[in-house]
Structures are given as structure tokens and as C-alpha cells.
Amino acid sequence: MNPITEEISLFLVSLSFVYFAKAFGGSYMKSSVTQIERRFDIPSSLIGVIDGSFEIGNLLVIAFVSYFGAKLHRPRLIGIGCLIMAAGAFLTALPHFFQGQYVYETTLSHIPEENSTESILPCLANTSHLVINDLSTAASKAACEKEAGSSMWIYVFLGNMLRGIGETPVMPLGVSYLDDYARKENTAIYLACLQTVGILGPVFGFMFGSFCAKIYVDIGSVDLESISINHKDSRWVGAWWLGFLVSGFLMLLAGIPFWFLPNTLAKQCKSPSKKRQKEDIQAKSSSDTPEVEPEQGNFAPSLKRLFSNKVYLLIILTSVVAFNGFIGMITFKPKFMEQVYGQSPSKAIFLIGSMNLPAVAVGVIVGGLVMKRFKLSVLGAARLSIVSSFLSFCLLLIQYFLQCDNSEVAGLTMTYQGATEVSYQQESLLSQCNMGCSCSLKHWDPVCARNGITYASPCLAGCQTSTGVGKEMEFHNCTCMQELKGGLMAPPTNRSAILGQCPRKRDCDRMFKFYMAVSVLGAFVSACGGTSGYIVLLRSIHPDLKSLALGMHTLIGRTLGGIPPPIYFGALIDRTCLKWGLKRCGGQGACRFYDSHAFRITFLGLVYCLYGLANLLWGVLYLQLSKRQKKLELRSQAKATALEANGNNNPNGHAMVSIFKNKDDLDRDNESTI
């Protein structure tokens, strides 16, 4: 086997860096979903729309780039795309520099003196300290919203859309350019290298997202000692904007080499190209026509040829369903780990980046090596994809049984009925123990009592006094606190509470370890079939339709598989919210607390339905591939028999007519490369 040329090596390295940079930006966006949701006080359904704007940008230009891009200077188009992606990343971070400081909701509006020991009285008989924001909102809500920058999320939407537009030429033009001038038997390992390096981007993107999630959003402009929440609090907002600045600079660097690469590598890869042409001639029984020549025709006939391929249609359908499951799962997986297993957003993001994504990278490498080692045909590649998809689905099913109990929040997930004086009505935070405090029911300012129960605010816990400042604040004489003794609720010996939600029980940490083990193994198994699935796509279409097929695959996949999932996943997840936050200027903000059982069933149920359907479609696709392969073998045998019988006596006679008919049939079915 001849070594790859210097030009192919340079292009492969440059394209790999672009894959890394764009994957870094995309994964950082996924890791920042929770922070953006909290910063702009928007529901999960709207954050799904923002996340889907990347695919909307793809949709706007993918058809044009895929069809006409092959006729233009492909490397320079990729360079232009890098510039657009960099501009989109900078635009996404822009709201931070024009928005006011983040003001998190709290009921503790009395600012204590630093030398005071007992200052805040949570349970007061009047509500003057709670309705200040409401009064100012009623007086000038428009001015408040302008100051708070409540509509600045539109810039995040537009910036993410620009990133989608810029990313469009990278995959279809880059992969087709590489496949055109690389040895055919090396294509699988090259694609595996691209995907592996591309997966390193999400690893660093998620880990950097974890780092930024621990940094307060207004770092450098506020006194951190005055902040009474930490990164585990559902009101905490990390420095979400920082990663987009880094991503923008990376994209600028990644685009530089493509301005100096040639449009064609035919001269540098002369020998391999001739061999590739000879193989294509034998496969298609056609003349010495360059691969790009058929694309010079009209768009409509090429599109008709492409979509007359039943295998290609099945690949598209399978990909769309699988994309729906994957995009929905990866978008809300950090929130799933946070709500079901009690992990902080930064830890959830870190674990995904440091464990799941490396497993995916190893799986992609293993899948590419298996393809190269055993020289799998299209049917062999399809079998590998089916096995990996089915096994990963089985591992997903195991996750349903790895659950934790709901967090114990008084009035939301638990009530005391009849046993003591402390009882809560259904879906109410009020009880006899806090009736005289005139507490706000809108705010979420949780405290953890010594009995392990979380209360929505110090006032709703009936706390009378407090000591300390900032994160060290502690509340005392809380009348709503009870302890379970001998099967009955009794007053505790220590009626104090600290800021923040109570941690989950110890058995939840053990269950989370099992969950991570199953999740990492499932990621590895699923990734083993990634390269083989891509090979099935490449080898099921005519070479002259390759760029168009890849582009349409990306277009349809992004449109139907990338845009809807975050929206409907987010909308259904919103229905499991038990306590909504309060916006700075009034109105419903981001969700602060979910019913973890309902969240788990909703999230996993959607994933199971989509991946189950994808497995069924893989089975149908394999049957269609087998049927087509048998048909091709019969035609090849008939062609060989006709040539042997009539080749010497009448080379231009009826046998050749039959061959040309077979060739026309192949063109109609787009089967020549299988």
C-alpha cells in the first residue's frame, strides 16, 4: 500500500483541526444550555429553539453549498465557513457585555452589616421586604426589562445560527474532497481519524464548560463574598460567555490553512486517481468521464436520481430518527444527571467530557480498525452498525432501573398529613407553621434543615433569626422543622438550617456510579458502528452524486433530526417542573426544581422510542441491501456469461446491448458502488 501524499496529509490535518474547533464550539454550546437558560430566565422549550438555531443556519445554505460547492474552490469555501463560525461565536458572547449584572432571586433583601451577628429576620409579619421588586415592576416594567436585557437571548440565537451557516461546507466538501483523492481502501481509516479528532473537540468543550460553570457570570465586576449561592444552586449562572470567545479564536486559526490549499489534488495523486477511475469504470461500465462532470448538469435530474435510490432513502430515514434520539439526549443529559442524581451542572458536564466522550473516541477508532482489518463490504458494514446499535439500546434500557428517590422538599415532594401540626395542602408551600410569616410563594431561596428536608425559603421554613453573611448564613428557630422518631414526627433538638438544597441520600451516589458505568459502556458500543454506518452511505451512491448525497443527508438530518428534538424534549421536560423561578421584572422564569421521577420517565421514554424505531429501520435497511446485493451478483454473472459466449465472435452485438441495459438499470437504481 502506497503512503498518503504530502498534500493529502496536509489537508487531513487541516480538516481535522476544523473538526476539532467546530466540535469544541458545538459541545460548549451544549454544556452551556443550563447556564444560558438561567441567565436569560427562559424555559427549556425556548432554550431548545436557541439550540436548534444551529441546524436552522445549516438549512439555509446546505443545498446550495453541497451542489455548487463541488464546482468551486472547496478548500477556500471551508476557510470562509471558519470565518463565519468565528463571527457567530463572538456574536453569541456579545449579550454579556451589554447586559446588566445578574441578579438572582432571593427573599433575603435585608443586607446585613459585616460586623453584625444576628441581622436578618426571615419570618416577618409584614411583606414589605418581599414586594419591593413587585412594586418597582408595576411602576416601570418596560424600563426594568430594558435594564435587565431580557430579550438579549436573540443574539445567542443569531450567533448560533451563524455558526450553523459557517459549519455547512466543512463536512460535505471536506469529506468528498478527501474521498476523491485518497486511496479507496484508506477511506474508512481516514474518516475514523477525522471523527476521532473531532470527538476530542467535545471532550475539551465539555471540560472547559465545566470549568466555566464554576466561575460566577459577573466575575471581576462583583464582590464574590456578597454572593450567597454556590455553583450547586439552581440559581447559579456560570461564566457562559467565556467559552464562546475561546471558540471564536480557535475557528479563526483553523481556517487559515485552507486559503493556501489547491482546489484539486489530481496532479499530486495522479497514480491513485487513475486506479480509482479504473475501478469506477469497471463498476459503472461507463466511459472515461471525470467524476465531477455529471454534476455539471441540472440540479433537478441529479436530485431525482439520488432519491430514486431506495437504500439512500432508508439511510436518510434511519439517520433522522437516530439523530432525534441523540440530539435530544445530549442536549438535556447534563440536566438529567442534575435532576435525577443530584449532581451539580459543572460535575455533570465534566463527567460527560472526561468519560463518555473518550469512550466514543475509542469506539470510533475500534470501528474504523475493524472495517480496515476485515475489509468489510457494505453488507458487513451494515451488520457491524446493526449489532452496535442494538447492544447500545440494550444498555440504555438498563438505565431505567438505575434511579434515585425524589429530593425531599416540603410542600412539593412531601407532605405531613394528620400526624403533626405540620401539614401541607396539595401543591402548596403553606402550612400552619408558616402562616403567620406572610411568606412569598413565588421565590425560590432554598434552605437545608438539619432533618435533611429542603424548604423553598427560610421564611417558609418558619425560621425566626439568622446569623452570618453570604454563603455562611445560618437560620435558627425554624418552626416547620420536624424529625421522624418512632414512626411519628417530633420537634428536632436543632431547629436550624443552612443555605442551599439538601444533598441526596448516600445510596443515590452509589446508583449514580452504576449509571455512569453503563452510560460509558453504551457510548463506546454505539460509537463502534459510527464509521461503518458512514461507509454504508458513501458506498450506496454513485461517485458523481457523492457531494450532493452527503449534503442532502446533512440537510435532512439537520432539519428533521436536529431542529425539532431540543424543542419537543424541552417542552415535555417543562411539564415536569414543580417550582418555577421568578424573573427580575416579574413573570415566570427558568425552572428551579423538577419532579425527578417524572423527568426520568419523560426523558428516557422519548429516548427509548426513538432509538427503538431506529433499530427497526436498520433491520429494514439491511434487508434492502441484501436484496440489492443478490440482484447485482446475478447481473454480474449474466454479464460475464454473455461476454464469454459472444465476446470474441460479436463484441458489438446483442451481448453489449444487454450490458448497456444492465448499466442503465444500475443508473436508475444508483447501485453501482455497492
Side-chain angles (χ1 to χ4, degrees), residues 277-287 289-291 294 305 542-544 639 659-660 662-664 666-667 672-673:
Q277 287 183 359
K278 185 176 180 180
E279 291 174 351
D280 291 336
I281 290 171
Q282 292 175 350
K284 295 187 293 183
S285 300
S286 59
S287 60
T289 304
E291 285 189 6
R305 288 178 58 203
H542 273 289
D544 61 319
K639 184 189 300 185
I659 292 174
F660 287 138
N662 286 335
K663 184 258 180 184
D664 293 337
L666 289 175
D667 284 342
S672 64
T673 56

Side-chain angles (χ1 to χ4, degrees), residues 43-89:
S44 296
S45 55
L46 184 53
I47 201 67
V49 174
I50 295 175
D51 186 70
S53 63
F54 181 87
E55 279 70 30
I56 295 176
N58 256 260
L59 172 63
L60 296 177
V61 295
I62 185 65
F64 175 84
V65 169
S66 300
Y67 184 71
F68 295 101
K71 307 174 186 179
L72 304 175
H73 199 295
R74 286 183 281 184
R76 289 182 183 173
L77 282 178
I78 296 175
I80 294 173
C82 291
L83 286 177
I84 297 175
M85 279 191 281

Side-chain angles (χ1 to χ4, degrees), residues 514-527:
F514 289 135
Y515 165 79
M516 284 304 302
V518 173
S519 177
V520 170
L521 182 59
F524 167 78
V525 173
S526 177

Side-chain angles (χ1 to χ4, degrees), residues 276-472:
R276 289 289 306 275
Q277 287 183 359
K278 185 176 180 180
E279 291 174 351
D280 291 336
I281 290 171
Q282 292 175 350
K284 295 187 293 183
S285 300
S286 59
S287 60
D288 293 331
T289 304
E291 285 189 6
V292 297
E293 281 297 315
E295 292 195 32
Q296 306 299 324
N298 295 326
F299 179 75
S302 298
L303 200 63
K304 182 179 179 181
R305 288 178 58 203
L306 183 63
F307 283 98
S308 64
N309 187 340
K310 295 179 181 178
V311 170
Y312 181 74
L313 290 177
L314 280 172
I315 292 174
I316 290 289
L317 185 58
T318 305
S319 299
V320 166
V321 176
F323 285 168
N324 270 262
F326 174 76
I327 296 297
M329 181 174 63
I330 197 63
T331 301
F332 295 101
K333 187 179 181 72
K335 180 174 285 190
F336 174 81
M337 296 165 66
E338 176 188 358
Q339 297 299 327
V340 176
Y341 298 102
Q343 305 299 313
S344 67
S346 59
K347 184 178 179 180
I349 295 167
F350 177 81
L351 290 175
I352 293 174
S354 61
M355 297 183 68
N356 287 80
L357 294 179
V360 172
V362 174
V364 170
I365 294 175
V366 171
L369 291 176
V370 169
M371 288 287 299
K372 184 174 178 62
R373 172 66 178 81
F374 297 99
K375 299 180 179 179
L376 297 180
S377 64
V378 172
L379 285 178
R383 281 193 290 267
L384 178 59
S385 295
I386 290 173
V387 171
S388 66
S389 178
F390 178 74
L391 291 179
S392 64
F393 180 68
C394 292
L395 291 170
L396 273 174
L397 292 176
I398 296 177
Q399 295 181 16
Y400 180 81
F401 303 98
L402 305 176
Q403 58 178 308
C404 293
D405 293 333
N406 246 331
S407 294
E408 295 182 336
V409 180
L412 292 180
T413 61
M414 61 181 302
T415 58
Y416 311 138
Q417 298 292 342
T420 71
E421 61 181 15
V422 182
S423 61
Y424 294 87
Q425 297 178 355
Q426 188 70 22
E427 298 182 357
S428 174
L429 297 173
L430 292 177
S431 178
Q432 295 178 1
C433 63
N434 56 31
M435 282 291 188
C437 297
S438 301
C439 303
S440 169
L441 300 180
K442 297 180 180 179
H443 291 79
W444 176 255
D445 195 10
V447 292
C448 177
R450 297 298 182 183
N451 59 3
I453 298 174
T454 300
Y455 294 85
S457 70
C459 181
L460 289 169
C463 300
Q464 305 297 318
T465 61
S466 69
T467 58
V469 294
K471 299 182 182 67
E472 305 301 324

